[in-house]
Every structure is written in C-alpha cells, then in structure tokens.
Amino acid sequence: AAAASPPPDAEVTFVLPAGRRECFYQAAPGNASMEAEYQVIGGAGLDVDFSLESPSGRLLARERRRSDGAHTVEPTEAGDYKLCFDNSFSAISEKLVFFELLFDSARPGEEEEEEEEEEEEEGEGWPEALEPEDALDVKIEDIKESIETMRSRLERSIQVQTLLRAFEARDRNLQESNLGRVNFWSAVNLAVLVLVATVQVRLLKSLFQDKRPVRT
C-alpha cells in the first residue's frame, strides 16, 4: 500500500438539500499525503457542517457552520476516507458546495530517507572524479528534477485557480442574491411611497371641499 501511486485529484460540486447530510468516500494509499478543501458557494448563510474520518473510523476534523475549510492528512492510512457535509440545521435553504481532494506521491520510509542522505553525503565528496558519462547522467538528473519541480508548481497553480473560481462563484451568487433583495425592497418602498402620496392628496382634497348643502 505504501508503494501504490496516489489516485488522481478530484473536484466535486453538488447541491446539499435542506435538512440533509451527504457523505463521500475516497480511497487513498498508505503513507501518502491528502489535502481536502471545501467551499460553500451558494445558499443562505453560506455555511455547512463538515467532518472527516479515517478508514479506521477515527475523527480527523469536525467543523460547524463554516463557509470554507482546508485539512491535510499526512501520512494517510490505506483505505476509504469519509467526508460528510451536513445541512440538517437548515430547514429551508439548500447549499451549493464545492470540494476538492489533492494527493501527493507516497513518502519514502525512514530507511529509504537515510539511504538517500548517505548517498548524497557520499556524492558530495567525489564530483571531480566523475567520468564524462557520469557527469552527463548527473546533468540529466538535474534536468529531470527541474522538470518535476516545474510540473508540481504548475499543478499547484491549477489548484489555486480552481479555488479562486470557487471563491468567484460564491461571491457572484452572494451578489446576485443581494441584488434580488435590493430590487424587491426597493419596489416595496416605491409602492408604499406611491400609496402614501395618493392618500395624502385625497386627504388634502377632502379638507378643501365644501360639503355644506346648497340652498336655492
């Protein structure tokens, strides 16, 4: 399980009905790294309850009435992680929830890390004795390392852009909701003003009318 490659990153957007609780399961290899991030991008209050459990049933995180959150599990257990979103506290409003799961490669064990450190220490003492072919291999390894670093940074940039799109969607939904409320109450205030103006005009006219009977 420790040598298994991590699953691909996952992104999910779903509607959580009022008074409901939804759970998702994600398989993960052992001795890796998993990051779970969520964002409530629609619905009244923009909040939800969240919980994260390990494959052994241990509660790793629990949050109440939050609009967003991020949790990192390192190292992971081999098995299915359980992510739950709870909207049971809301009896009317449904929520639009976005979450993503990010995985990193399995981390080497302590023995492998020690071997790598020993190799690095040994390699520091004989760079001048390298043959041309060995130097070429070292350069190729440096290029591969640079490419791998660039790839990881590009992946992180994509993840940040995804989170920014989620924030943008949440802000847009909030602005549209506020715009609808402003338009509604503006219309109500306008109707009340017209009604009050009409009543006042009629009242003033009635004060100046002579209602005494005319004798001929």
Side-chain angles (χ1 to χ4, degrees), residues 11 89 119 127 137:
E11 300 176 5
F89 59 84
E119 292 177 357
D137 292 338

Side-chain angles (χ1 to χ4, degrees), residues 7-78:
D9 297 340
E11 300 176 5
V12 179
T13 302
F14 69 100
V15 176
L16 182 59
R20 291 283 300 277
R21 182 173 184 262
E22 297 286 348
C23 294
F24 298 85
Y25 295 86
Q26 173 62 55
N31 199 32
S33 175
M34 181 183 74
E35 184 177 357
E37 301 181 0
Y38 69 94
Q39 177 81 244
V40 183
I41 59 178
L46 296 176
D47 54 357
V48 73
D49 293 346
F50 172 78
S51 63
L52 174 63
E53 295 182 11
S54 67
S56 59
R58 185 164 59 95
L59 184 63
L60 302 177
R62 179 186 294 276
E63 295 177 332
R64 297 187 181 276
R65 309 293 293 269
R66 291 287 300 274
S67 60
D68 58 79
H71 302 277
T72 301
V73 180
E74 187 177 16
T76 56
E77 300 179 27

Side-chain angles (χ1 to χ4, degrees), residues 18-167:
R20 291 283 300 277
R21 182 173 184 262
E22 297 286 348
C23 294
F24 298 85
Y25 295 86
Q26 173 62 55
N31 199 32
S33 175
M34 181 183 74
E35 184 177 357
E37 301 181 0
Y38 69 94
Q39 177 81 244
V40 183
I41 59 178
L46 296 176
D47 54 357
V48 73
D49 293 346
F50 172 78
S51 63
L52 174 63
E53 295 182 11
S54 67
S56 59
R58 185 164 59 95
L59 184 63
L60 302 177
R62 179 186 294 276
E63 295 177 332
R64 297 187 181 276
R65 309 293 293 269
R66 291 287 300 274
S67 60
D68 58 79
H71 302 277
T72 301
V73 180
E74 187 177 16
T76 56
E77 300 179 27
D80 294 334
Y81 281 82
K82 181 180 179 182
L83 300 92
C84 293
F85 300 88
D86 194 349
N87 192 31
S88 58
F89 59 84
S90 178
I92 300 176
S93 176
E94 63 183 18
K95 305 295 172 60
L96 183 62
V97 182
F98 164 82
F99 75 90
E100 65 175 350
L101 300 174
L102 311 176
F103 293 91
D104 288 336
S105 300
R107 303 185 309 169
E110 294 181 358
E111 297 180 357
E112 296 179 358
E113 291 179 354
E114 293 177 357
E115 292 178 358
E116 291 178 356
E117 292 178 357
E118 292 177 358
E119 292 177 357
E120 290 178 357
E121 292 177 357
E122 292 177 358
E124 290 177 356
W126 49 271
E128 297 179 356
L130 290 175
E131 296 294 332
E133 294 181 357
D134 296 334
L136 180 61
D137 292 338
V138 172
K139 291 181 180 179
I140 292 176
E141 291 298 327
D142 291 340
I143 294 174
K144 289 182 179 179
E145 183 178 356
S146 299
I147 293 175
E148 183 66 21
T149 302
M150 185 181 300
R151 184 185 66 83
S152 63
R153 290 179 178 177
L154 288 175
E155 289 180 352
R156 186 57 184 172
S157 298
I158 294 173
Q159 296 163 5
V160 171
Q161 290 176 356
T162 302
L163 286 178
L164 290 177
R165 286 197 298 268
F167 280 110

Side-chain angles (χ1 to χ4, degrees), residues 170-190:
R170 185 190 67 174
D171 294 339
R172 184 174 62 252
N173 292 334
L174 182 61
Q175 290 175 358
E176 291 177 354
S177 177
N178 291 336
L179 178 61
R181 294 178 181 177
V182 169
N183 290 336
F184 172 76
W185 288 110
S186 297
V188 171
N189 289 334
L190 180 60

